[in-house]
Structure formats: C-alpha cells, structure tokens
Amino acid sequence: SPPCTGEREFSVFVLDQSGSMGDTDISPYRYAAAVEATACFIQARREIGAKDQYAAVVFNSYAQVVCNHATPGNAERDILHPLRQINPYDGTDIGEGLDMAGRLLPNDPGGFRQRIILLTDGHGGEPYALAKELKNRKILIDTIGVGGSPSAVDEPCLRTIASVVDGKVRYRFITDKDQLVNHFKTIARDLVKIHR
C-alpha cells in the first residue's frame, strides 16, 4: 500500500476521450460527467484543506497532456477549463494514458503521495507491466469503468492495474453521474481517513 506522506497528494487524472465517451447514457454524456466528477474530486480535497498538486491526461489511441502541473487554486483554469474543451473521438489505449501519467509523476515525490485516477469506458492497450512498475514506485492507482454494463469495459484489466489498499481493490464500475460524482468525492477523502 502507498506510504503515508501526510495530507499532500500529486494526483494525475487520466480520462478516456475515445468516441464512445460521447455516449449519453451517463448524463450529459460520459466524458462530460467524468470532467464534472474530476471537479468534485478537486473540490473535496480543497474542503479538507489538502495542499495538493494536479495534472491531467486524456487518451484515445494516443495520450495527450492537458496540464502537467496545477495547484488547487488554479485547477479551474489549468485543468477543468481545458478538459471541457475536449471532444471524444477515436479508439482506446489504456496503456498510453497510464504511460503518460507515469511520466508526469516525478521519481522523487518530495513528500507528496502520488496517485493516478484512470477512467475509461472501453478495452485496449497493454498496461500491465507499466501498472506494476508504477505501483513499485508507490504510486496509488484508482481505476473507474463507466458505461451501460461492466462487460463494456475490460474489468479484469482494470482490477489488475488498480492498487489494493487494506485488502480492497481500488476499482469501481459506475453507470450514472450521481454515482460517479459520489465515488470521486469518496476516493478524494478516503485516503485521508486511512492515513490520519
């Protein structure tokens, strides 16, 4: 499990922007709901007074850095606003998203607990070896699958690449926006409880 490094986290949001993330089964559509949940995560961390740092990556067949460094104070401008400008298209390669996130997290965490929050609605890519390497670097990985049914995502993959903390695999499948927002708020706060 991740080391206790106090309240500060460097979190990288890794959001799937493949074409199916435009599906409207999660209102208003999957990708937009994911961005809204990301905003709620940042807000929940601010409410507990965490002095965090953030980065954001989107991926389809390739990954792209949206922001490589933001503080809670400028997250709206540097992370949420640019995320909202992105439109879903193309395929899915989870490995590409994970790889880019790992590159954004420094090898010396400098007192920050490091975390990747990866959300996808699909299959694709070879993230296993990479996930293992990231977890060996003590990076916590939360994975979230979204969509109409769990079979739409690669659940065995998402479970395998997720971290295990206190015997619980940090993977969740979600079918609606309220659940998604609540899950992001929960994972924003739960580690604070674990490490207080």
Side-chain angles (χ1 to χ4, degrees):
S1 76
C4 174
T5 51
E7 303 293 298
R8 300 191 308 164
E9 283 188 1
F10 191 146
S11 298
V12 185
F13 302 102
V14 184
L15 304 183
D16 186 342
Q17 64 153 131
S18 62
S20 52
M21 288 294 288
D23 289 4
T24 56
D25 54 352
I26 299 178
S27 151
Y29 56 97
R30 293 174 184 176
Y31 175 79
V35 176
E36 199 166 314
T38 298
C40 293
F41 178 101
I42 293 171
Q43 183 56 33
R45 295 288 301 167
R46 283 183 80 163
E47 283 166 9
I48 56 177
K51 304 278 190 284
D52 290 344
Q53 295 176 11
Y54 298 105
V57 169
V58 290
F59 69 94
N60 42 37
S61 302
Y62 301 95
Q64 170 194 339
V65 176
V66 174
C67 172
N68 62 8
H69 189 263
T71 60
N74 60 24
E76 178 66 42
R77 181 193 70 201
D78 292 347
I79 289 201
L80 300 171
H81 179 71
L83 280 174
R84 290 184 184 117
Q85 311 308 307
I86 287 164
N87 292 310
Y89 73 98
D90 202 15
T92 307
D93 189 325
I94 295 166
E96 289 279 319
L98 208 55
D99 180 52
M100 191 64 82
R103 290 167 194 257
L104 292 177
L105 288 165
N107 281 323
D108 174 9
F112 283 81
R113 180 170 56 216
Q114 296 183 317
R115 182 200 308 225
I116 290 169
I117 300 141
L118 183 140
L119 180 145
T120 182
D121 71 345
H123 295 70
E126 279 295 326
Y128 301 102
L130 185 61
K132 191 174 176 187
E133 188 186 311
L134 294 170
K135 289 188 276 192
N136 286 342
R137 282 171 57 191
K138 302 280 188 265
I139 295 167
L140 179 88
I141 303 175
D142 279 296
T143 59
I144 300 105
V146 297
S149 100
S151 62
V153 299
D154 190 345
E155 284 208 304
C157 167
L158 293 175
R159 285 183 201 283
T160 302
I161 66 178
S163 293
V164 179
V165 175
D166 297 340
K168 290 196 180 82
V169 177
R170 295 186 65 89
Y171 163 71
R172 180 90 187 271
F173 182 79
I174 292 174
T175 55
D176 75 74
K177 190 170 91 176
D178 290 345
Q179 266 187 3
L180 188 62
V181 164
N182 286 334
H183 181 63
F184 270 63
K185 287 179 181 170
T186 300
I187 63 173
R189 298 187 186 118
D190 62 0
L191 284 186
V192 174
K193 292 210 250 334
I194 291 168
H195 292 295
R196 264 257 144 84

